[in-house]
Amino acid sequence: HTFTAITVFQGRLYMLDTAQNQIFRFNRTAAGFGSATGWIRDEVRSLAGAVDLDIDGSVYITYDDGRMERYFQGTRESFSLNAADPTLQAPQMLWTAEGSEHIYVLENAKHRILHFNKDGRFLEQYAFADDSTISAFTIDEAGGNGFILTGSRVSEFPLHR
């Protein structure tokens, strides 16, 4: 296996394997997690270039060229992100959650986090200092804030309502 991303949803572990063009699901057991089960049912063109995934009931996969795909119950759905200005070209991470109406995408090359709705419509972006390299981020929609990790420093930013 060549795993490039990991997330947990409803007690199950999901791992993205770009070499095998598959998302593997691991059910929780008393000893930890069971064996891998292939989750994607469709014939996948290729997951080459996939950099991250997150789950809200559907699985979203973002690619290093700015594309995003959505799968539901292992089947690819029609989905794309609308153009942002400037264009999303090199995303590193994404965030969404069950019950959220939003998708957030980190693009370090342009020092920003882009905000889309679940239909793929671009809503806004959060820009950060040009010298910041964000290694991780998370969103607290209930609290109205986002958090970025740059080096050993955590910074908070307000979400627009």
Side-chain angles (χ1 to χ4, degrees):
H1 294 288
T2 306
F3 296 119
T4 57
I6 184 172
T7 193
V8 174
F9 182 72
Q10 295 183 344
R12 294 182 175 131
L13 190 64
Y14 292 81
M15 297 176 72
L16 177 64
D17 186 331
T18 56
Q20 293 191 35
N21 293 318
Q22 186 58 269
I23 296 170
F24 288 99
R25 181 175 71 189
F26 300 80
N27 291 322
R28 185 171 286 286
T29 66
F33 287 95
S35 59
T37 303
W39 182 82
I40 295 178
R41 296 180 185 160
D42 284 354
E43 184 167 325
V44 177
R45 291 185 309 269
S46 175
L47 292 178
V51 294
D52 200 17
L53 81 159
D54 211 349
I55 303 174
D56 69 353
S58 293
V59 172
Y60 296 83
I61 302 172
T62 191
Y63 291 81
D64 59 7
D65 62 5
R67 289 178 297 128
M68 186 176 288
E69 293 179 337
R70 181 175 66 200
Y71 290 79
F72 183 70
Q73 295 181 343
T75 302
R76 187 168 167 229
E77 297 185 318
S78 176
F79 178 81
S80 64
L81 296 176
N82 289 2
D85 186 22
T87 303
L88 173 64
Q89 294 176 329
Q92 283 81 35
M93 298 177 67
L94 73 105
W95 180 95
T96 193
E98 187 173 27
S100 173
E101 297 297 320
H102 307 278
I103 302 167
Y104 296 83
V105 180
L106 169 65
E107 184 177 30
N108 256 324
K110 294 183 181 147
H111 310 285
R112 64 185 181 157
I113 293 174
L114 295 92
H115 178 194
F116 298 87
N117 71 10
K118 293 284 177 83
D119 294 324
R121 185 168 54 93
F122 174 68
L123 301 174
E124 63 189 332
Q125 64 185 348
Y126 300 92
F128 302 96
D130 285 347
D131 63 347
S132 63
T133 298
I134 301 168
S135 55
F137 82 100
T138 193
I139 302 295
D140 176 14
E141 287 187 328
N145 297 301
F147 299 88
I148 59 171
L149 177 62
T150 54
S152 60
R153 184 172 154 215
V154 175
S155 302
E156 182 176 7
F157 63 95
L159 299 177
H160 304 136
R161 301 279 179 162

